[in-house]
């Protein structure tokens, strides 16, 4: 057997290897907790080596697919009953091979980074086990050959996100965040389950291509109404809406920042949020033939892109800002899928995975450096108002963060420019309105990202400023519901933000992170700069490789279709709006020519609207959280007072009658005959009266 063919035959090892690592270390933690927790370095090396092996296999398969190898599938019968059979297995095609490379490479670098970031955490080994299980679940999802198997791994991804977001479960915000993520995703997953079962009822298959062909045929011949087909497809789309944080199921994503930064990077780059866009790609044969569904996907994506960007403008927590940035960029991808730009959406998924992973890991490096000055409190360590001037102390982190900022802002030749420009160009051809939304969002993106970079790395370091610390402390108390109005206790009497943290003696300056953290940043900077070059209009190798199902195009054909004038206009307009955003950020946060605070005060309602996340969380709190609690309380009252009352009354009557009847039992046949005679006589009288 040739090496490449052997690689395909053993491709199932790619998800199994990290699963094996998680299983072995997990069993050790369960059975021999103390001993396993002491084996920190061996455990991490073992798990990183396994994901590294999976990465090597993934690159080999990708290279084979890139060079024209036929797609490969292995299937086996998992369950059967009569004519009904369920098949499982794995499939390797162009999109699967690309996703394997993205997931394994990002996961590998995140795990290397974790060694430095979690070095002093007592849950170090447990975190590695969770990361490995998470990676395995996503890899299994990527190579799944049908929707049913996708759903199995889809739920595993959700379970792992719950474990990782709530990793520091002793902290109430982390416990609340993982519950919020779990419940929100259950809403989307329930829709996905209903849609999946509906499509199976209609088409008799879970295979993506077969579902698409049969559903189209059934609608064409009138066997099922077009509205019903659209309903099934939109229900399936609810799954990606939750996983990829699309409005209105986006609320879990910012709260997911309560988990350690490495998992934030993995969730926001290559695993959980990418799963939603990937599933839209897999379900494309079903979606593309239903215009209503495609329009719904496009508008949901555009709205989410704009919403995420406008909220990110006012965020002061560096991780929360990046979280809303992810939400916005995912909106771009979903919008691209909705307008039929299949390749462009997946192209942005790839470029975004690398530069967003770098940005999140960069934010973790910043937090790691700040903790040496302000302590291990997120209120201080993550707030950009206490940062500034970090480029002098953390040069490697600053340079890589700037590269990521330029990439996401769409500045050529960085990776984000090529993918974002392709989305905007494709969108303009379908809907100028959606293009306008995406174009404005691009400008806002450039503004808030450079606001983030400049506030963090330029200017003077403010980490030792006692006034800012006091302001942040009071804001934190207010966010927890403390009353600071007339009659409240003095803020000086309240506990400080550091009262629950052991470290009160800090350094006066931050420091650069260790090599285990900076090296992944440097390695991620390379694709953040170069990977976009595979999808230029002049040589679009990416689209030739990743084209919509059923389409085959070549690089030469794509190059012939390029209109240089149109490209110059579209690219020029997207770069221009980004430059405007960057210029505004410089004027506000470097030269101080424009007073950002004065503008915020002039448009206070809009500022508060953005700062409070469009009040969506507040509305959900009132309608769903408090509403469900009231319903539950009413149901409990009904159960206690009505249901339990009836049961208790019945029991009481049974007791009384039983106690009464026992005294009537004499044991004499004459007495029982008298009772029977009386009953018969009563029936006769009753029948005569009626």
């Amino acid at each position: 057997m040739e090496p490449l063919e052997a690689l395909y035959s053993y491709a199932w090892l790619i998800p199994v290897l990290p699963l094996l690592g998680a299983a072995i270390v997990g069993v050790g933690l369960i059975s021999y907790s103390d001993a396993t927790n002491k084996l920190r370095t061996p455990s991490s090396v073992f798990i990183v080596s396994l994901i590294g092996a999976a990465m090597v296999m993934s690159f080999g398969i990708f290279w084979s697919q890139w060079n024209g190898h036929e797609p490969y599938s292995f299937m086996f019968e998992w369950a059967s009953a009569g004519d009904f059979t369920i098949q499982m297995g794995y499939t390797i095609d162009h999109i699967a091979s690309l996703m394997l490379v993205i997931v394994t490479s990002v996961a590998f670098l995140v795990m290397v980074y974790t060694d430095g970031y979690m070095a002093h955490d007592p849950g170090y080994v447990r975190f590695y086990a969770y990361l490995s299980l998470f990676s395995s679940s996503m890899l299994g999802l990527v190579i799944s050959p049908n929707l049913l198997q996708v759903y199995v791994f889809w739920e595993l991804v959700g379970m792992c996100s719950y474990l990782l977001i709530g990793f520091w479960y002793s902290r109430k915000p982390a416990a609340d965040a993982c519950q919020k993520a779990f419940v929100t995703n259950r809403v989307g997953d329930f829709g996905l389950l209903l849609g999946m079962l509906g499509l199976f009822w209609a088409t008799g298959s879970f295979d993506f291509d077969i579902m698409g062909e049969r559903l189209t045929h059934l609608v064409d011949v009138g066997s099922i109404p077009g509205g019903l087909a659209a309903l099934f497809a939109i229900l399936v789309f609810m799954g990606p809406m939750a996983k990829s944080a699309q409005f209105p199921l986006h609320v879990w994503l910012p709260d997911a920042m309560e988990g350690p930064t490495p998992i934030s990077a993995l969730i926001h780059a290559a695993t959980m949020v990418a799963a939603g866009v990937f599933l839209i790609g897999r379900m494309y044969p079903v979606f593309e033939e239903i215009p209503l569904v495609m329009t719904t996907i496009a508008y949901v994506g555009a709205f989410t892109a704009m919403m995420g960007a406008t909220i990110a403008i006012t965020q002061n927590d560096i991780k929360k800002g990046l979280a809303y940035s992810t939400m916005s960029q995912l909106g771009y991808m979903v919008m691209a899928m909705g307008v039929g730009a299949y390749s462009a959406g997946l192209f942005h998924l790839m470029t975004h995975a690398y530069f967003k992973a770098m940005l999140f890991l960069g934010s973790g490096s910043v937090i790691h450096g700040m903790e040496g000055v302000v302590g291990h409190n997120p209120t201080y360590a993550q707030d950009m108002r206490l940062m500034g001037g970090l480029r002098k102390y953390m040069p490697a982190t600053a340079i890589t963060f700037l590269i990521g900022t330029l990439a996401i802002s769409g500045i050529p030749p960085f990776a984000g420019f090529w993918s974002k420009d392709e989305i905007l160009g494709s969108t303009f051809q379908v809907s100028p309105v959606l293009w306008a939304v995406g174009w404005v969002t691009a400008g806002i993106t450039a503004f808030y990202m450079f606001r983030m970079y400049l506030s963090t790395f330029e200017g003077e370091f403010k980490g030792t400023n006692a006034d800012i610390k006091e302001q942040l402390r009071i804001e934190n108390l207010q966010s927890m519901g403390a009353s600071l109005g007339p009659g409240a206790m003095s803020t000086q009497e309240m506990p400080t933000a550091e009262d629950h943290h052991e470290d009160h003696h800090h350094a006066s300056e931050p420091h650069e992170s260790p090599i285990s953290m900076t090296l992944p940043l440097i390695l991620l900077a390379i694709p953040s700069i170069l990977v976009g070059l595979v999808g230029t209009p002049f040589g679009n190798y990416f689209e030739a490789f990743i084209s919509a199902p059923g389409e085959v195009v070549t690089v030469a054909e794509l190059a012939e279709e390029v209109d240089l004038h149109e490209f110059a206009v579209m690219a020029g307009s997207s770069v221009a709006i980004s430059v405007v955003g960057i210029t505004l950020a410089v004027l506000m946060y470097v030269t101080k020519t424009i007073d950002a605070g004065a503008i915020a005060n002039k448009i206070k309602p809009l500022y508060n609207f953005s700062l409070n996340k469009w009040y969506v969380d507040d509305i959900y709190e009132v309608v769903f959280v408090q509403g469900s609690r009231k319903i539950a309380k009413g149901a409990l009252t009904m159960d206690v007072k009505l249901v339990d009352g009836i049961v208790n009354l019945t029991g009481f009557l049974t007791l009384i009658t039983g106690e009464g009847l026992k005294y009537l039992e004499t044991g004499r046949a004459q007495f029982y005959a008298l009772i029977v005679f009386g009953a018969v006589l009563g029936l006769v009288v009753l029948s005569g009266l009626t």
Side-chain angles (χ1 to χ4, degrees):
M1 184 180 294
E2 296 182 5
L4 284 178
E5 293 302 321
L7 205 56
Y8 282 93
S9 300
Y10 291 99
W12 54 271
L13 283 172
I14 295 175
V16 169
L17 286 173
L19 177 63
L20 183 66
I24 292 174
V25 174
V27 169
L29 286 170
I30 294 170
S31 305
Y32 309 98
S33 177
D34 293 338
T36 305
N37 277 314
K38 291 178 181 177
L39 298 173
R40 295 165 69 91
T41 301
S43 298
S44 60
V45 170
F46 176 62
I47 285 175
V48 173
S49 299
L50 290 175
I51 195 69
M55 180 179 67
V56 171
M57 292 182 68
S58 298
F59 271 100
I61 288 173
F62 174 78
W63 182 250
S64 172
Q65 287 289 306
W66 184 270
N67 286 290
H69 194 286
E70 290 294 319
Y72 179 91
S73 289
F74 174 80
M75 304 294 294
F76 64 92
E77 189 176 283
W78 185 63
S80 65
D83 295 333
F84 173 76
T85 61
I86 297 177
Q87 288 193 319
M88 297 292 188
Y90 64 91
T91 187
I92 304 294
D93 55 9
H94 289 186
I95 185 174
S97 65
L98 175 69
M99 290 299 299
L100 287 175
V101 166
I102 295 172
V103 175
T104 54
S105 58
V106 172
F108 177 79
L109 292 173
V110 165
M111 288 186 185
V112 172
Y113 176 96
T114 296
D115 178 66
Y117 191 86
M118 300 290 287
H120 304 291
D121 196 287
Y124 177 96
V125 177
R126 176 167 61 93
F127 190 71
Y128 265 103
Y130 286 173
L131 282 178
S132 193
L133 182 60
F134 196 25
S135 303
S136 173
S137 302
M138 185 62 193
L139 291 168
L141 188 153
V142 164
I143 63 174
S144 294
N146 56 54
L147 188 54
L148 180 61
Q149 191 170 326
V150 164
Y151 187 79
V152 173
F153 286 103
W154 187 271
E155 294 301 320
L156 283 173
V157 167
M159 182 200 71
C160 293
S161 69
Y162 174 83
L163 295 173
L164 286 160
I165 294 169
F167 182 78
W168 289 319
Y169 54 84
S170 59
R171 292 170 45 188
K172 188 176 184 304
D176 292 342
C178 69
Q179 291 178 31
K180 190 174 183 179
F182 187 81
V183 172
T184 306
N185 276 275
R186 293 294 69 71
V187 174
D189 294 355
F190 184 63
L192 171 59
L193 179 62
L194 291 178
M196 181 177 74
L197 295 176
L199 287 173
F200 181 79
W201 168 80
T203 65
S205 176
F206 289 115
D207 184 87
F208 306 108
D209 293 325
I210 294 175
M211 280 192 298
E213 294 173 2
R214 291 181 181 176
L215 191 67
T216 303
H217 174 73
L218 290 169
V219 173
D220 289 342
V221 300
S223 296
I224 65 170
L228 185 61
L231 175 63
F232 292 156
I234 289 174
L235 284 171
V236 170
F237 176 58
M238 284 182 63
M241 283 173 67
K243 276 287 192 290
S244 292
Q246 300 299 287
F247 176 85
L249 299 178
H250 66 282
V251 292
W252 69 271
L253 192 64
D255 291 45
M257 298 302 97
E258 294 295 337
T261 300
I263 191 53
S264 299
L266 201 54
I267 285 177
H268 286 253
T271 52
M272 192 163 174
V273 297
V277 179
F278 173 78
L279 182 57
I280 296 174
R282 280 296 196 207
M283 292 296 296
Y284 202 75
V286 174
F287 294 159
E288 68 173 334
E289 299 298 332
I290 310 174
L292 176 61
V293 176
M294 295 293 283
T295 302
T296 301
I297 293 173
Y299 276 89
V300 167
F303 184 84
T304 304
M306 175 62 77
M307 184 183 190
T310 54
I311 296 175
I313 289 177
T314 57
Q315 298 303 305
N316 294 310
D317 185 306
I318 189 171
K319 288 178 69 177
K320 290 279 180 76
L322 289 173
Y324 282 108
S325 169
T326 299
M327 173 181 162
S328 181
Q329 297 304 305
L330 289 166
Y332 265 110
M333 301 172 205
V334 173
M335 180 179 71
M337 290 294 191
V339 299
Y342 177 90
S343 177
L346 292 173
F347 188 26
H348 198 55
L349 175 66
M350 178 184 71
T351 60
H352 177 266
Y354 289 111
F355 63 67
K356 184 53 62 72
M358 182 174 63
L359 286 169
F360 263 109
L361 295 182
S363 73
S365 179
V366 167
I367 295 167
H368 186 267
M370 287 292 295
E371 285 176 342
V373 180
V374 302
H376 297 273
N377 190 306
T379 303
Y380 295 158
Q382 296 177 195
D383 200 296
M384 292 183 289
R385 288 170 290 182
L386 268 179
M387 299 175 187
L390 294 184
R391 178 166 56 87
K392 180 171 67 175
Y393 307 105
M394 309 177 72
T397 302
I399 293 171
T400 52
F401 200 95
L402 178 60
I403 290 171
T405 302
L406 289 166
I408 196 173
S409 299
I411 303 300
F414 297 92
F417 163 76
W418 302 104
S419 55
K420 189 175 290 186
D421 180 72
E422 189 171 344
I423 290 175
L424 291 174
S426 301
T427 303
F428 185 80
Q429 296 175 5
V430 176
S431 172
V433 174
L434 291 178
W435 170 84
V437 173
W439 182 72
V440 172
T441 301
I444 299 173
T445 301
F447 172 78
Y448 71 68
M449 284 304 306
F450 268 87
R451 169 183 178 265
M452 191 178 298
Y453 171 78
L454 296 171
S455 299
T456 304
F457 295 101
E458 303 297 334
E460 297 182 358
F461 180 63
K462 300 182 286 290
T464 55
N465 190 310
D467 293 335
I468 299 177
K469 282 188 174 183
E470 178 65 12
Q471 178 190 345
L472 298 183
R473 184 173 72 87
I474 293 173
E475 287 182 5
N476 186 50
L477 290 169
Q478 289 174 324
S479 68
M480 293 188 295
S483 175
L484 303 181
M489 79 167 71
S490 169
T491 57
Q492 282 74 27
E493 299 174 10
M494 294 180 175
T496 66
E498 294 184 347
D499 282 351
H500 302 292
H501 301 270
E502 71 284 352
D503 187 8
H504 291 274
H505 303 284
H506 311 301
S508 59
E509 296 179 348
H511 56 83
E512 183 64 275
S513 299
I515 187 67
S516 61
M517 294 173 65
T518 55
L519 181 61
L521 293 175
I522 295 168
L523 293 176
L524 284 167
I526 298 171
S528 298
I529 299 171
L530 300 176
V531 78
L533 297 176
V534 301
T536 68
F538 318 105
N540 201 335
Y541 296 93
F542 186 89
E543 188 171 353
F545 183 66
I546 303 291
S547 52
E551 295 183 10
V552 178
V553 293
T554 64
V555 177
E557 291 172 347
L558 293 169
E560 290 177 0
E561 296 174 359
V562 176
D563 187 329
L564 293 178
H565 179 264
E566 181 184 340
F567 169 73
V569 171
M570 297 302 298
S573 64
S574 64
V575 172
I577 193 68
S578 296
V579 170
V580 170
I582 296 169
T583 303
L584 285 174
V586 171
L587 293 174
M588 287 185 185
Y589 299 100
V590 178
T591 66
K592 310 291 184 179
T593 307
I594 300 175
D595 189 343
I599 294 176
N601 289 326
K602 286 182 180 179
I603 55 170
K604 198 70 174 178
L606 286 175
Y607 177 81
N608 288 333
F609 188 68
S610 170
L611 187 63
N612 291 285
K613 302 168 285 188
W614 288 31
Y615 298 103
V616 173
D617 287 67
D618 299 316
I619 295 170
Y620 283 10
E621 173 71 21
V622 173
V623 176
F624 296 111
V625 178
Q626 295 181 16
S628 60
R629 285 175 180 170
K630 288 179 180 178
I631 294 171
K633 189 176 180 181
L636 180 62
T637 303
M638 181 74 71
D639 181 61
V640 171
K641 293 186 176 181
L642 182 60
V643 178
D644 284 0
I646 294 172
V647 172
N648 293 336
L649 178 61
T650 304
F652 179 73
L653 292 175
T654 303
L655 178 64
I656 296 299
T657 54
E659 288 292 323
L661 287 172
K662 79 178 182 181
Y663 295 106
L664 299 177
E665 296 180 357
T666 63
R668 295 180 179 180
Q670 298 93 326
F671 181 75
Y672 295 131
L674 179 63
I675 293 175
V676 173
F677 175 77
V680 173
L681 180 63
L683 288 172
V684 170
V685 173
L686 183 62
S687 59
L689 292 174
T690 55

